[in-house]
Amino acid sequence: MRQRMVVVWTVVATLCAAAMLALPGSETVPYHVGWAAFALCFGLEQWSPRATWIGLGLYTVVTGGILVTRVANGVLDWQETTEIPLMLLLMALMIWHVRRRQQALSDLTENAARERAESTMRELLTLRTSHEMRSPLMISRGYVEMLMDRTPAGEDLADLQVVDEELVRLTRVCERLVRSMRVGADLEVTAIDVDAVLRQTAQRWSMVAQRAWTVESSGITLECSGERLRACLDTLVENALRYTERDDDTVLLYARPMRDAIALGVADSGRGFSTEMLRTAAGQGVVQNQGPGEILDGVRDDLSQTGLGLSLVRDVATRRGGWLQLGVSPWGGADVAMILPLVPQVPVAPMLRPVQTTAPAGSA
């Protein structure tokens, strides 16, 4: 298969040499056609050095001999013989450049493969580490909670509460690492019942945090990755829990149909977004000169952690051609939604769009 172009050029070169013999006085036309065919075939397929130089040598000797014979017979002028070394030099330079390009492409492919392998190993290491840490963390939290139940109020109980809080934070870090791996992976795309995903997400989180959980359904089926969709909803729910504290605080998971799109998000009754944060998200104020990819860097407050959560959700939305929208919930809290086209579109530049409504004092 790799020698196909060598065979093609051999046939063309033989025909050109035969034409040179059959057409006295017009030898230069088939002569140059043969060289042009060599340049084309050599560029289409990687030749071995042996085939390259044997082919060049034979064609140069055969066609050069024909030209010299015609000059000796007075059919051609002696200047025509200068084509012999000049064409050989031209082809040698072409071969050198093509070889350089092929080597550079080979090095680039090898480096890309190595980087992909290293990236995959890093992701697997992160994923496995996070999974392996979950069980010890759950066991540790169970023992800490047992000790807290047995310990009377006082300094020792306060110390145990600090340990429990740190274990909770470490558990959430592990969950976020696993979630980020799921969001970035290339997962299977299927028809997903959005309402079922919302109900399952609310049910899972209701076992972790006591809130007034509500689901607003839409009856929409979306062609997407269910794993990635759940990871995004988990991220939005985790943010909502961070800004709500009481058992009667509301956390709403909703899917609302729009024109050729769906708004999929989480709203809460927490302290909500400040006007300054909405302006920051819009690229105004102190970050008005920053690019779209830097907008999320300005959305911070005293409860923010790594800041990667909304960035991951935004990336998922923009891959589909949508965007991330910030707003104010009916209870004055935060409302964060992914606007996803029903039919995937060409990815757009990462965007975070605020809803221009009056937010309460404070920030989320």
Side-chain angles (χ1 to χ4, degrees), residues 3 10 17 22 27 33 40 84 89 91 118 146 156 169 186 191 204 221 227 243 275 278 294 314 317 333 340 351:
Q3 301 299 318
T10 301
E27 293 86 355
V33 170
L40 177 62
I84 302 172
L89 176 61
M91 291 301 107
E118 292 176 353
M146 180 181 65
D156 292 339
R169 289 183 58 190
D186 293 328
R204 285 191 296 105
T221 299
E227 191 73 17
Y243 296 100
T275 303
L278 292 176
E294 299 171 298
R314 177 199 61 189
L340 304 175
M351 287 185 290

Side-chain angles (χ1 to χ4, degrees), residues 221-354:
T221 299
L222 196 63
E223 290 285 341
C224 64
S225 166
E227 191 73 17
R228 186 172 288 146
L229 183 62
R230 292 182 182 91
C232 291
L233 287 173
D234 286 342
T235 299
L236 297 181
V237 169
E238 184 181 353
N239 286 340
L241 293 180
R242 191 179 304 128
Y243 296 100
T244 55
E245 299 177 356
R246 303 185 306 273
D247 294 348
D248 59 349
D249 282 340
T250 300
V251 177
L252 168 66
L253 284 72
Y254 64 85
R256 298 168 184 164
M258 303 171 63
R259 181 180 178 182
D260 300 327
I262 180 175
L264 191 65
V266 176
D268 62 67
S269 59
R271 64 190 194 184
F273 292 112
S274 67
T275 303
E276 181 61 29
M277 287 190 69
L278 292 176
R279 289 176 179 174
T280 300
Q284 301 175 3
V286 296
V287 294
Q288 61 182 351
N289 294 325
Q290 295 185 0
E294 299 171 298
I295 288 176
L296 281 173
D297 293 338
V299 184
R300 295 285 189 275
D301 66 357
D302 56 309
L303 293 180
S304 297
Q305 296 183 357
T306 62
L308 297 177
L310 289 182
S311 296
L312 291 172
V313 178
R314 177 199 61 189
D315 290 343
V316 171
T318 54
R319 286 181 188 181
R320 192 182 176 89
W323 63 88
L324 190 64
Q325 179 173 278
L326 302 186
V328 179
S329 72
W331 311 281
D335 187 340
V336 184
M338 296 183 293
I339 309 301
L340 304 175
L342 296 178
V343 179
Q345 307 294 324
V346 177
V348 298
M351 287 185 290
L352 181 71
R353 300 185 180 180

Side-chain angles (χ1 to χ4, degrees), residues 9 56 62 109 149 206 269:
W9 181 74
L56 274 181
V62 172
T109 303
D149 293 337
S206 65
S269 59

Side-chain angles (χ1 to χ4, degrees), residues 349-364:
M351 287 185 290
L352 181 71
R353 300 185 180 180
V355 176
Q356 296 299 330
T357 54
T358 303
S363 57

